[in-house]
Amino acid sequence: MPSVLCLDLGTSAAKAALIGLDGSIHGRASCPYPTRTTADGGAEQDPQDWLRSARTAITELLHVPGATRDVLALSLTGQMQDLVLLDPDGAIAPAILYSDTRAGQDAQEIHARLESEGISWDSLTATVQDATSCAAMFRRLVRTDPDLVGRARGMVFGPAGYLAHALGCGRWCDPTTAAATGLLEARTGTFSGVIARTASLDEELLPALTTATGQVVGRTDTAAQDLLGVPGGVPIVLAPGDAGATTLGIVGLEVGDDYAYLGTSGWLAAVIPRTEVDDVGADDTRADVTRADVTRADRSAATAEQAPVSHHLALAAGDDLVLRISALLAAGAAADWARAALLGGAGPAEADARLEEREARQGRGPTGLLALPSIHGERYPVRDGDLRAALVGMGPRTRDIDMYAAVLEGVAHVLASASSAPSRSDRSAGERSRPLAVAGGGASSAPWLRILADVTGREVRAVDGADAALVGCALAAADELGMDHSIRPLAFRSGGRTVAPDPSAARAHAVMRDAHRALYTAVATVRALH
């Protein structure tokens, strides 16, 4: 059956699927690859492992006789914000991953040099830049391995771009991935010459940017058969990086589309017009918290009170759309910790049963406790790597299940804060016509969905997002190639639990929103004083 061959080269594995033009999935396969970490914060992968795993997964999918004749396109997505240096033959060193933190010194120096010219790196890119910026990663290599840098004849920023290069398509980068590198100007949607120069990066090394949500960057040839087992003559589509492909696969890319993710970490992602990307203001925060005459407590409180800008990722240069992502570091991880620490190691099902019993006794509504889920530090609504979790308000009648419920409420309050972020678009908070889609492991918890509905004041709907990036790949390819298809984002398909907010509970949670936000400042201040 005619299908789009979709490939998602993620953080730990290559996942492939054949998706028909009716949206049905005709087959799935995956193959893992290793990550090398170092004691100094390094995180690397071998680009050859990406190719080997991609071939293994694709070969498994296409082993059925005649399957290769039905491949309409090869659509690519994958992890973003990796630095891959190239010469004409391929990668000249391991890929430095988005989670690599060795370039902290270099990020600080880029900030300082740009600020000396009156330029804010954060404002220019519309996100807070740190050691994980590809610009900082490159500058670290200039400092530590100049011979390697001297051999580079180009670069790409993730495995999807690398695979396209290996297939003979040249060097390409989609705008979503480019926006994660610290090198893309948010307002213009183009790579910044001033940032590149400050990072000692020759602009000639940068890849070309695609200009559509999915763009044909080439066609497979005989080499593709040897490399991946894909027949010749198949269009190769570069879809958005995984954040954009996942959004496309869950809710689509119309202004106002948004969804929440409850995995190990959590986030709320929303599509907004590029015109709504304001100056970050994080440069002001940095100035406030680095003056010598400010105490540690004042610095910590100032950092907590200044909510960092969300990630702003371009979706397609021609569409002027931006994906705003507000990410907290611990969602499911905070729930896991709370079950271990508070419920004696209870599993998710047992914890849900106890929440159901509590709700049957007490009804829906706030626990009366306030919890910060920041067991690993935080990125939103504050950016503070030293922040830790907190739970306040316990009384003589507080029980372990109340505290566990409060942790889930704390995650929901963060997502609610992001959901209600000001918007000038027509479909602003409170005017959305569909439920808030919720994906990730936490979406399987009925009590947590009710908490999220009550805290956000929005109807929520659980969505199985396991194939979201692959579905996004299929949509990007089918639309780009003008195919007659009925592939729909997962949130618009039938099935999935839908939960409406309880009006009384929603009003009670809304009253607590400001107090929950103020707790970040209070905890940061107390931490700085001891």
Side-chain angles (χ1 to χ4, degrees), residues 239-262:
D242 56 6
T246 297
T247 301
L248 177 57
I250 292 179
V251 294
L253 299 180
E254 296 295 326
V255 170
D257 285 337
D258 64 352
Y259 75 94
Y261 181 77
L262 289 174

Side-chain angles (χ1 to χ4, degrees), residues 380-392:
Y380 183 88
V382 301
R383 193 178 185 92
D384 187 346
D386 295 324
L387 189 73
R388 288 298 177 264
L391 185 61
V392 300

